[in-house]
Amino acid sequence: MNRPRMRPLRPSLRRRLLLALLVPVGVLLLLDALLTYGVALTYANRVHDRDLSNDALTLATMLGNDRFDGELTPQARFLLEYDPGGHSYFTVSSARHGLLASNGQLPQPAQVPAIGARPTLYDAQLAKHALRAATVHIAMRSDPGDSLVVTVAETLHDRHQQAREILLLASVTQTLLIAGVLSLVWFGVGRGLHVLDPLTARLAARTDELTPIDGSDVPLEIRPLTQTIDALFGRLRGMLILHDRFIADAAHQLRTPLTGLSLHVEHAMANPQPEIVADALLHIQRLVRRAARTSAQLLALTRAQAPSLETGERTLLDLARFIPEAVSERVHEAIRAGVDLGYEGGGQALFVLGDAASLHDLLDNLIDNAVRYAGRGSTVTVRLAARADGGASLSVEDNGPGVPAELLPRLSERFFRAASNNEEGSGLGLAIVQRIAERHHADVVYRPGESRGLCVEVRFPAPPAILDRPA
């Protein structure tokens, strides 16, 4: 039996914020517990050390004041041996009589304190018990020639017990405090996220509006997101503008051939004579080719005007190999048009960073513009040369009628055509060249040819030095 698959949890900003706070707070609580226990144990040690020193000094003073004949009195022995918890140990020795009383072989300090000095505190070990001991050295009042060394020790059980009690009390208080803080954090995160409500409401109220959404009410932390969305909206607006421009250009450019098609069809239908029908079909064929070419150029112009591709999708191209191959594809078409198409270039490799398909469209439009406007019997030369800055220069020159100098700056405008006998041009070829060159960070220069005509030069920048040259 197939069990339904669990849907993965969707990312939650609230959950991520709370986790980012809860985990550090939990770690902080653990560290605080360790620190509290250490402080409590230090405090308990100080209190017990002080009490232990006082006990040793009090006991020694009491024993030193009694009349002493070499043995402890019953009252002194009862005081030493009385311990309800069974955690105390003692040793009493006399300088003259030796060991007087003891309930365990307590290790003595490395150096016995001087008579009348403050008690010496030290750590000791008896069997398996860790002890804390205090030793005091006093003179006997009943026997000025004798002195007593009294050592009192206790286990560490009471110290740790007291530290645990302090830790328990502090942990309860701190846990309640942290719970209160986390409740405030939960409430604060929820309230803080409400600052996005105006932005959410503005976006929900939109239909097809692509204006920027970044405003004064957008929090600083959200601004990178809104700025990214605004950039996306900007690209979408550009694409929509290109879409509308393509529709307008298509309607503008296809209206004339479509109108001509309709007129020739009506003329042939009104006069169904063979010679009239044949003439109409010839005109229809020419108009269909013109419409097809115009459509292809409109699509090429739209691609060239689209947002640039990421540089990572481009490659290093050797123009010294790429350009001759592209020129050879147009030789047969140039021969049919009665144009002598040639290529001039050195043998050295010339690299540019670009898109092969776009550069192929660029060269096709340059050659097509030269072949169409130079006319039958003309010469078109494609040249490739290296530039002094490491870039490459691609030029297409013809010896046709040329273009007046005052019109050269307008050649890259859409639908602009210089005065010519050729009426089949769409005025889009050089506009496509200009857009493709801009996407490759290249400059387009228009100038008269060496023998009349027109020369169009595309100057490509040097490729980045960080890229490796292909083999």
Side-chain angles (χ1 to χ4, degrees), residues 54-64 76 79-80 90 92 150 152:
N54 291 336
D55 290 345
L57 186 59
T58 301
L59 181 60
T61 302
M62 183 183 300
L63 294 176
L79 181 64
L80 289 171
F90 65 90
V92 180
V150 179
V152 179

Side-chain angles (χ1 to χ4, degrees), residues 337-367:
V339 175
D340 181 12
L341 176 61
Y343 170 76
E344 295 180 4
Q348 65 177 7
L350 291 176
F351 292 98
V352 296
L353 181 64
D355 174 60
S358 298
L359 292 179
H360 200 286
D361 287 343
L362 180 144
L363 182 60
D364 277 348
N365 280 280
L366 286 176
I367 294 176

